Amino acid sequence: MKILNFLNKEYHISKQITSVSREKNKKIKIKASTIAKMLFMGMFCREKSINQIIKKVHKRKKYKNLFYKKEIIQKMHGFREGIKDINLEDLKQINKNIIRKAKENKMYWEGTIDRLVVVGIDGSENFGSYKKDWNNSFKCKVKNQKYINGKKEVIEEEYHKQINVFARIVGKRPGIILGYEKITCNGNEGKQEYDPNVGIKLIEKLKKQYGTGIDVIVGDAIYLNEKVIKALKKEKYIGVFRLKENNRKIYEDAKGLFKIKKSNEFKYKGQKIKYWTDIFEYWKNKVKVIKYIEQEEKEIYVVSTDTNLNEKTINKIIHARWDIENEGFNELKKGWNMKHCYMADEKGIDVILQMIIMSYNLWEIYLYGHLHDFENSGITKFGYIDEIREKLYVAKIDILYFSSA
C-alpha cells in the first residue's frame, strides 16, 4: 500500500515508534514499543476511544499483524497505565523529526502566502469531561437541561477540560501543527494562566525549534499586547493581529483618523476591497493599522508590526488565520475526537495529544504534500482516511511493517 511505503521510506515511522521508551513504572510488563504501536495505530486510524482500540486489538483482531507471536498485549488497565508511563520526550522528538523532514523536502519553499511562511496561533479547549478530574485541569460550572423524575430541570454541573494554545501553518496545505503550549490552571474558573503569556512561550519555542523557517505569526485580538510585540521583535518575526476594542486607545484613534482620510482599494478574488491605512505608535513600537471594508460592508481593523508589508498581503494573512480553526481544531475535534477525555491523567493526556498531532500531521503531509492532486479530487479527507483504514483491516497486512522493523 502506497501510504505505508511513503511513511516508512520518507519518515521512518515504524523505526521511530518501536524505539519509544518507558519512564519508571516497573510493575507494567508490557513493552513501550507495544503500547506505542497500539496507540499510534488507534490515533492514525481515528479510533474514538481507548476502549475502541482495545476492542480492535483483542476481540476483532484488526491490528493483530502489528505484533510478534509471543508479544504480550495487555488489556484495558495495563494499556492505560502503559500510556501514562510512555516517555513524552520521545514522542515530541518524533514530531520534530517529521516537521524537520517536511522542511527538508521543501514543502514550504515558496511560502504559504506571497512567499511568506505564515503560522497561526490560537487557543482551544480539549479533552472535556463532566466526570473525570486531573491535575491542572480547568474547572468550570456549566448549566445543563436534564430530565429528573420525568420533569425537565436546569442543573449546574462541574466540567473539566484542558486548554492549549496551538501553532499551525496557515494559508496553504499541508497545514502542519508545529507545536502547542498548555495553559496551566489552579483548578478554578478565571484562575488559568493568561492566554497571551502562553502565546509568548509558544513563539519562543517556535524560534528555538524552527529558527528562520517562519516569517509571520498571525493571531486574534487577544494576542495584541506589549509583551507579545516585544517577543516578536526579539525573535524577528512579523506579527499580524486583529484590532478590537480591547486595545481601545489605538482602536479609537484609528477609527477617528480613517473617517477623515481618503480610502484606497484593491481587487482580490473578483471582489473590491476598500482600505484605509496609517502608521501608529503602539507601546513605543511603530505599527501599521489598516481598516478594510469587504463584502456586506463588513469592517475589519488589523495591526501589522511590519510597516512595509503591503495591504493586500496583510488582508490575505488575517483571513488565513481562520485555517487554524476551520481546518485545524474542527478536524481534530470531529475527526480525531480531541474533545473527548481519553483518560483523567495529565501525563496520559499529553501522550495522547502528541499521538493525535503526529497522526494529523502525517495525513496532512501525505494527502496535500505527496498526493499533489488530492485537494482538487473532490474526495473528503475523512472519507479517504476511512477508506484506507478499511483496506488495512481487510488486507490483514503487517500494518506499517512494525513487525519487520
Side-chain angles (χ1 to χ4, degrees):
M1 201 169 280
K2 289 180 181 179
I3 185 170
L4 309 184
N5 291 326
F6 172 76
L7 292 178
N8 281 300
K9 186 179 178 181
E10 291 292 324
Y11 294 91
H12 310 292
I13 289 302
S14 63
K15 185 179 178 182
Q16 293 193 77
I17 291 293
T18 50
S19 64
V20 169
S21 63
R22 287 220 329 259
E23 288 193 341
K24 55 189 176 183
N25 194 340
K26 293 180 181 178
K27 293 180 181 178
I28 301 169
K29 303 299 181 185
I30 188 170
K31 288 182 180 179
S33 60
T34 306
I35 303 162
K37 285 187 288 187
M38 288 172 70
L39 186 58
F40 173 75
M41 282 312 301
M43 295 300 113
F44 190 73
C45 292
R46 302 198 306 117
E47 305 297 358
K48 302 296 184 185
S49 65
I50 299 293
N51 193 43
Q52 274 195 18
I53 298 171
I54 292 294
K55 278 184 178 179
K56 294 281 171 69
V57 171
H58 286 284
K59 290 185 179 179
R60 297 173 67 188
K61 309 292 184 185
K62 295 293 186 184
Y63 299 140
K64 69 178 182 179
N65 293 312
L66 280 173
F67 312 105
Y68 297 104
K69 288 182 180 178
K70 295 183 179 180
E71 197 167 353
I72 299 170
I73 309 166
Q74 289 210 13
K75 295 191 178 179
M76 181 64 78
H77 178 72
F79 185 44
R80 282 179 175 275
E81 292 303 310
I83 289 170
K84 296 175 193 177
D85 202 47
I86 279 183
N87 191 325
L88 189 60
E89 294 305 313
D90 287 352
L91 299 183
K92 288 179 180 178
Q93 189 57 51
I94 295 172
N95 274 320
K96 287 177 192 174
N97 293 342
I98 291 168
I99 295 163
R100 189 182 297 115
K101 184 63 180 176
K103 187 180 175 184
E104 285 173 11
N105 290 343
K106 298 183 178 179
M107 208 157 281
Y108 303 111
W109 72 281
E110 289 185 332
T112 62
I113 297 173
D114 294 350
R115 304 196 71 82
L116 298 168
V117 176
V118 183
V119 171
I121 59 170
D122 203 2
S124 176
E125 298 173 359
N126 320 120
F127 308 110
S129 173
Y130 286 103
K131 296 178 182 178
K132 301 172 185 176
D133 187 14
W134 61 93
N135 290 338
N136 281 322
S137 68
F138 177 73
K139 299 184 183 76
C140 60
K141 300 290 183 182
V142 178
K143 290 182 179 180
N144 290 315
Q145 290 185 345
K146 288 196 173 182
Y147 284 94
I148 300 172
N149 298 325
K151 292 182 180 179
K152 196 176 186 180
E153 295 184 22
V154 176
I155 62 167
E156 196 173 65
E157 296 180 280
E158 192 171 77
Y159 187 69
H160 311 276
K161 57 194 172 186
Q162 182 168 299
I163 308 172
N164 302 296
V165 177
F166 290 88
R168 180 188 181 273
I169 297 283
V170 296
K172 176 187 173 183
R173 297 190 93 157
I176 295 172
I177 295 171
L178 299 179
Y180 73 94
E181 193 68 31
K182 189 163 52 179
I183 294 179
T184 57
C185 304
N186 294 332
N188 298 319
E189 189 169 4
K191 296 288 185 182
Q192 79 271 29
E193 193 175 359
Y194 189 43
D195 217 350
N197 293 338
V198 179
I200 291 165
K201 289 182 187 176
L202 187 55
I203 290 165
E204 290 170 348
K205 187 189 284 186
L206 291 173
K207 183 66 175 184
K208 188 177 179 182
Q209 290 179 5
Y210 309 114
T212 56
I214 299 167
D215 300 302
V216 182
I217 302 290
V218 60
D220 201 5
I222 191 172
Y223 297 101
L224 179 59
N225 68 24
E226 182 188 10
K227 290 180 179 178
V228 173
I229 299 294
K230 280 183 178 177
L232 289 168
K233 284 192 75 175
K234 179 188 170 189
E235 308 302 350
K236 296 182 179 177
Y237 288 149
I238 299 167
V240 175
F241 303 100
R242 281 290 305 271
L243 175 60
K244 296 181 182 176
E245 290 186 359
N246 60 324
N247 280 286
R248 182 170 289 276
K249 187 178 184 307
I250 189 171
Y251 178 74
E252 294 296 340
D253 287 350
K255 211 172 180 180
L257 178 63
F258 295 154
K259 280 181 181 178
I260 59 171
K261 197 170 181 180
K262 190 178 177 182
S263 68
N264 296 293
E265 69 176 36
F266 59 83
K267 277 189 178 182
Y268 181 55
K269 291 183 178 178
Q271 179 189 345
K272 282 185 180 179
I273 298 174
K274 284 186 177 181
Y275 71 91
W276 293 255
T277 182
D278 214 321
I279 308 300
F280 289 79
E281 190 170 282
Y282 181 75
W283 295 104
K284 298 180 181 178
N285 295 290
K286 297 286 184 186
V287 297
K288 180 185 274 191
V289 179
I290 312 101
K291 171 188 171 183
Y292 297 101
I293 291 187
E294 302 182 0
Q295 56 187 355
E296 299 173 358
E297 300 297 308
K298 185 181 177 183
E299 288 186 1
I300 300 174
Y301 285 82
V302 183
V303 167
S304 168
T305 60
D306 184 350
T307 56
N308 296 315
L309 200 59
N310 77 68
E311 289 75 14
K312 191 172 182 177
T313 299
I314 293 170
N315 186 264
K316 291 178 188 177
I317 290 169
I318 204 64
H319 282 291
R321 179 181 66 87
W322 284 103
D323 290 356
I324 194 171
E325 184 71 42
N326 298 334
E327 296 170 0
F329 300 152
N330 190 40
E331 287 186 4
L332 287 166
K333 288 178 181 178
K334 290 183 180 178
W336 275 271
N337 212 19
M338 200 170 72
K339 60 186 177 181
H340 169 69
C341 186
Y342 286 84
M343 60 171 60
D345 182 84
E346 186 179 10
K347 166 75 183 304
I349 286 172
D350 284 337
V351 167
I352 288 168
L353 182 53
Q354 286 291 337
M355 283 291 194
I356 288 174
I357 290 171
M358 192 187 303
S359 303
Y360 176 87
N361 283 349
L362 288 170
W363 277 116
E364 280 283 311
I365 289 166
Y366 179 70
L367 295 177
Y368 300 100
H370 183 65
L371 303 180
H372 301 292
D373 58 343
F374 179 77
E375 206 158 2
N376 301 316
S377 66
I379 305 169
T380 65
K381 180 179 180 179
F382 293 144
Y384 185 89
I385 293 173
D386 291 344
E387 187 182 326
I388 292 294
R389 178 177 61 184
E390 291 307 313
K391 285 181 180 178
L392 290 173
Y393 291 163
V394 173
K396 293 184 180 179
I397 59 173
D398 179 13
I399 302 174
L400 292 189
Y401 311 147
F402 279 116
S403 298
S404 58

